[in-house]
Amino acid sequence: MSETAPAAYGLDVGSTAVKLVGLDTDGNAVRQSLEPTEPALQKQLGRILESIQERRDGGPLPLVVTGYGRGLVPGPARRVTEITCHARGIFQLFEREGTLLDVGGQDSKAVSVGPGGNVLDFLMNDKCAAGTGRFLEYTASRLNLRVDEIGPAALQSSGETPISSTCTVFAESEIVSLIAQGTDLGAILKGLHRSLVQRLSGMIRAVGFRPPLMLSGGVARNDAVVNMLSDAFDCKALVPESPEFTGALGAALTALEGRP
């Protein structure tokens, strides 16, 4: 990151992590931070806000907050939906219209991105954990694996065992049963990823797939998910270098540009 002072900030308050992006007057990221979401979230947000109380021309720097916890941010900061911010952020990164899939810990969103990063249409899953990153996190924890280990293990497996359950809790029981039967763990994990990708693919098709397929959110770091989605839509999915910061970047751009 540059030593240039930020001119605007975007804060994405997610279910698993709080992301902050600071932009200079040219829209370049000069500050970026990520920390796990703490149980005492309001206290955590107060500390983060205190750390960015820099002033320019006698007034506070523009700040836009997004994410599921945006309503908990105190003060007069603007609050913008994560759908809008992720679309704006992904357009800034790739300068492409198309279809965005944001898979977070709490929910998943398929977004049709139009000119300038405007949202043309979207579909959101915030009712069932089986279509979100929580599905992978919960299963990884149950198997005593780190979440960043399960994607590579799935890709390395030559076999694949289907996971038929459509509920996270029932899927856990199914996986425990398969392990007890001596089923290869890699094959189970590949089937687990396939189950998630099938749900996500359904969302993408429902919103109306327009290539390219672009990914944001922490699950975009999972190569098994990326590869399976690329195969499902016969195109190489575009993934930012730091996909978890896409929403905070879009929020910061909205703050910098004074967008409505």
Side-chain angles (χ1 to χ4, degrees):
M1 293 289 103
S2 166
E3 295 298 325
T4 306
Y9 282 104
L11 182 64
D12 182 2
V13 186
S15 61
T16 58
V18 179
K19 289 81 67 175
L20 178 72
V21 170
L23 301 179
D24 65 18
T25 54
D26 295 322
N28 300 309
V30 295
R31 180 174 175 182
Q32 190 168 282
S33 65
L34 180 151
E35 54 185 74
T37 302
E38 299 174 2
L41 180 54
Q42 287 183 307
K43 182 177 180 181
Q44 180 183 17
L45 293 173
R47 172 175 51 77
I48 293 172
L49 291 176
E50 185 177 352
S51 75
I52 64 174
Q53 292 305 310
E54 304 171 49
R55 291 183 167 268
R56 182 184 60 180
D57 300 330
L61 293 175
L63 169 67
V64 166
V65 296
T66 190
Y68 99 105
R70 63 185 180 275
L72 298 176
V73 178
R78 289 179 57 202
R79 292 162 180 81
V80 179
T81 70
E82 55 263 47
I83 292 167
T84 297
C85 290
H86 275 267
R88 181 68 186 90
I90 207 72
F91 188 85
Q92 172 75 7
L93 293 167
F94 292 124
E95 298 183 333
R96 302 280 298 274
E97 299 177 37
T99 305
L100 168 66
L101 179 67
D102 168 44
V103 187
Q106 186 84 1
D107 55 39
S108 299
K109 299 167 280 289
V111 185
S112 180
V113 181
N118 291 316
V119 176
L120 302 180
D121 197 5
F122 72 91
L123 186 66
M124 183 172 183
N125 165 34
D126 59 356
K127 303 298 183 185
C128 177
T132 72
R134 187 72 69 192
F135 184 57
L136 298 179
E137 293 174 4
Y138 187 81
T139 307
S141 175
R142 183 65 181 81
L143 297 173
N144 293 320
L145 295 171
R146 298 193 315 270
V147 72
D148 61 346
E149 293 178 313
I150 60 176
L155 287 175
Q156 290 169 9
S157 175
S158 58
E160 180 174 334
T161 301
I163 304 297
S164 59
S165 300
T166 58
C167 168
T168 300
V169 176
F170 292 154
E172 176 194 2
S173 298
E174 186 174 353
I175 289 169
V176 169
S177 176
L178 288 169
I179 291 175
Q181 296 169 28
T183 307
D184 176 69
L185 179 59
I188 295 172
L189 290 173
K190 183 174 283 188
L192 178 77
H193 283 76
R194 186 78 63 190
S195 177
L196 173 62
V197 167
Q198 286 172 346
R199 292 179 178 85
L200 298 175
S201 297
M203 291 178 59
I204 293 170
R205 294 189 177 97
V207 83
F209 176 60
R210 298 165 54 243
L213 175 61
M214 301 172 284
L215 306 182
S216 67
V219 175
R221 287 193 175 277
N222 184 308
D223 288 341
V225 172
V226 174
N227 289 0
M228 289 181 182
L229 283 169
S230 297
D231 290 343
F233 291 93
D234 196 26
C235 67
K236 181 176 175 57
L238 304 180
V239 181
E241 182 178 348
S242 300
E244 58 278 303
F245 285 102
T246 307
L249 171 61
L253 287 165
T254 303
L256 184 66
E257 299 167 2
R259 286 192 171 201

